[in-house]
Amino acid sequence: MPKTDLKPPLILLAEDNQANIDTMSDYLESQGYHLILANNGQQAIDLVRDQRPDLIVMDIQMPGMDGLEAMRRIRDDRQFMHIPMIALTALAMPSDRQAF
């Protein structure tokens, strides 16, 4: 097999619950992904600007700036519009989903 210089995708995990961080990071790292972690929306925005991840996994309910606001601000910057984002939430009511 020829050697490639492809680096594993970088995933930003924005999550404030340690159990969720442990579960998701253990799985994603076992699959060969590199992770960076943010505990709130502002940290997520800062890491997007500094690290330019390939994918963002964003918890919606975090202290300080929530995930929805962080996602809006990231999308407002044209240079980051191409980064896929996955929103995570424990909200299960149909009325909660309208916010997305």
Side-chain angles (χ1 to χ4, degrees):
M1 263 172 131
K3 182 181 177 187
T4 63
D5 290 331
L6 294 177
K7 60 182 181 175
L10 179 64
I11 298 175
L12 167 60
L13 174 59
E15 172 65 67
D16 64 319
N17 179 289
Q18 192 61 49
N20 292 345
I21 292 168
D22 292 345
T23 300
M24 293 188 69
S25 62
D26 287 350
Y27 175 76
L28 292 169
E29 288 173 341
S30 76
Q31 298 302 305
Y33 297 103
H34 287 294
L35 292 181
I36 50 177
L37 302 173
N39 294 111
N40 62 53
Q42 186 58 57
Q43 286 180 0
I45 291 169
D46 294 342
L47 284 170
V48 167
R49 289 181 180 146
D50 292 341
Q51 301 290 320
R52 301 184 182 266
D54 299 298
L55 173 69
I56 300 167
V57 179
M58 181 84 68
D59 181 20
I60 298 304
Q61 296 181 317
M62 291 185 289
M65 183 189 306
D66 68 25
L68 285 177
E69 181 62 25
M71 291 170 76
R72 283 187 200 105
R73 291 187 187 190
I74 292 166
R75 283 288 181 247
D76 284 345
D77 190 330
R78 289 189 163 296
Q79 66 181 323
F80 304 125
M81 289 179 63
H82 71 282
I83 301 174
M85 288 193 248
I86 299 171
L88 300 177
T89 184
L91 302 174
M93 301 303 293
S95 61
D96 295 326
R97 294 182 196 155
Q98 292 175 3
F100 304 111

